[in-house]
Amino acid sequence: MSQHVRTAIRVTGTVQGVGFRPFVYALAVRLGLAGLVGNDAQGVFAEVEGPPGAVQEFLAALTADPPPLARIDTVSTAGLTPTGAAGFTIVASDASGPRTAQVSPDTAPCADCLRELGDPADRRFGYPFINCTNCGPRFTIVRGVPYDRPLTTMAGFAMCGPCAAEYADPADRRFHAQPVCCPACGPRLRLAGPDGQDLPGEPIAAAAALLRDGAVLAVKGLGGFHLAVDAASDPAAAALRGRKHRAEKPFAVLVADLAAARALAVLDPASEALLTSIERPIVLADRRPGAAVASAVAPRTRQLGLLLPYTPLHHLLIRAVGRPIVLTSGNSSDEPIAYRDEEMLPRLSGLADAFLTHDRPIHIRTDDSVARSAGGQAALIRRARGYAPSPLPLPVPARRPVLACGAELKSTVCLARDGQAIISQHLGDLENFETLRSFTEAIEHLGRLFGIIPQVVAHDLHPGYLSTQYAAGRDGVTLLGVQHHHAHIAACLADNGERGPVIGVAFDGTGYGTDGTLWGGEFLLADLVSARRAAHLAAVPLPGGEAAIREPWRMAAVYLSRAFGGAPPPGLAVTRRNQRRWDAVLAMADRGINAPATSSAGRLFDAAAALLGVRDTISYEGQAAIELEQLADPAETGCYPAGLDAGPGDGDGPGPLLVRGADLIRAAAGDLAAGTAPAVIAARFHNGVAAAIVAVCERLRDGHGLGTVALSGGVFQNLLLTARAVTGLTDRGFRVLVHARVPCNDGGISFGQAAVAAATDAATTDAATTGAATASAATAGSATVT
Ligand SMILES: [Zn+2]
Ligand SMILES: [Zn+2]
């Protein structure tokens, strides 16, 4: 034995629930090594014993060829005294100690499982819960760590003999696959009617028949219930809209495979890679003219949201239906998606005609993710199922554990420790009790899974946000307020692995400014620690506050009044359509009653949309701007100019530059009065906003020497604007950073806040000690935005 060595190995990263122990076992056995492997709260530990050469080969192979879903962060080794014991074993999990192990996201069925699913000779033929160590449910079924069956929602299903044998066989693909099951022992599918009673027939075939007949079907998926209808049926899609009280926001469409997706939409390589990725997001793409999709599926947009099946159940259902189906969230209007079995009938019985459901509980509500190709690069718009809770790196590691509470709309939370940030799944708009509950549950659940007890808590500056109020209620932590647009730019920096400084262009609907006004068309000189407002859209009144967001015509009234000194051209259609309330709204704006000032870029787009007759009122956030982008003729190169004014100084020098957004509206109104086509005007407006961005960035580069621009904020979901701005900036020698892994909208705010908190805490050498939330710490982040 003297020539043998024994080495202790610790592997961290996403190494639980991804077949890592079987992989280690098989590798050790192949190399003739003795020892053990196990999961604990930090990851995977192993000891291997044998000839030095074989141990070296083992260590090399460990990192060279890990299982497909594993993501290794670190491998550390230590020498041990050989024991002489023979054989290799998998030891029981150890739940003690600090928890740092990572839970992997839910993953679409692998090729091996799909083959078995379609093989009449296989014992899992047609079984909708087939999975293995390389695929299947994870995040949505995990109750705690270590990731083992008793701590998942599979705990109630005792394995049958054959499943237990596979589970225990190191040579099997299902060795220690925690959700392993089969028709004899696992979850069961059933089709229920409106009262919850079982309907006759094989559930999938019967459900497919209902869909083909135009019924609305509720389907229990991975992270919640969906509602499905035949995507080609106008009456079915219209019925679904009516029951959901969802006027116009597009529905996603499930297609069987890539060929079916290509038949409906024009897909570039990045879109196809997203569609077929194991994360399986909904992918937005341009719909093909004449695509066989009911007009009620995605009204007034050239785009379509498509997704491929991401569970065995979806594979079986879409094949049985034989054509694309709408698959939209199981909820009414803006409520969170239903996911608990006990919610199914109370919340969905008025919406669905039947329920395709099963008895495997969903532990965590998780919406579908949404992504698209932006100029050939993949970009996430909503980060949820398939991505959460995969960690993302932070440019500056967190000295103390961080919780970032996000903003309000498209809420997410983010926990950070060391160099890693774990962003929650998309939680929805933090405006009701259900979403607030998801918010607090996400903080607690992720904290438990990752063993993170926050000592620094970052939040938005808006005092009215529930997320801000939640942060203020945490005892014994250091609070850090992070200005909304600084958080956007920090999110973009961190998304690109950068620290700045940059010229940050943060264009969105609304964010609370350091001066208490509503910002949203901001140019910041920013790094991860501080941000200075260097330029912004000239502020205008928001007549009626929230009402002006719901009624874009009010912004047209305000901007036209500004643009023409109170005397816009006569005969504009937008004025005629809203004649009854036009003067009252302008009076409200002039007197400043219930008309807070805003520099929002979103409201400028609203004004242009209403002026061009796109719409006077909206039924979902950003709708007017989205439809204005759809209207714009991409071939048009004309451009409206926007002037720049020096802002009022504050005694310490000149104030921020002011961008005259009203100039764009004046030019657009002039073209409209002269009979120019709205599609041309919409394009010239987009080009004008992009040109203003470039002009301001050039001025700021001259003054401050910064050659990199970061684009963030929900307005940059506008692909036409983003493409024009990126081209214009690149042509003038700027390096441009855009979002990829984290949404540019408010879904990315928590990640940005975490990046700011980590960098600020690292920069504060004399940081306040844990245990006291101090007033000075509470303003440390915001105070640096000047
Ligand atoms: Zn599989
Ligand atoms: Zn079984």
Side-chain angles (χ1 to χ4, degrees), residues 107-114 116 130-136 138 173-174:
T107 302
C110 70
D112 288 333
C113 284
L114 286 179
E116 291 175 355
I130 188 170
N131 67 82
C132 72
T133 54
N134 297 323
C135 72
R138 297 289 188 274
R173 199 172 91 248
R174 296 193 170 88

Side-chain angles (χ1 to χ4, degrees), residues 286 300-303 625-633 686:
D286 284 339
R300 298 172 70 101
T301 169
R302 287 194 291 249
Q303 295 215 306
I626 289 168
E627 292 177 2
L628 182 70
E629 177 190 1
Q630 296 295 311
L631 171 68
D633 175 1
H686 277 81

Side-chain angles (χ1 to χ4, degrees), residues 123-124 159-160 163 181-186:
R123 68 192 188 89
R124 292 186 181 86
M159 278 182 255
C160 67
C163 282
C181 58
C182 74
C185 67

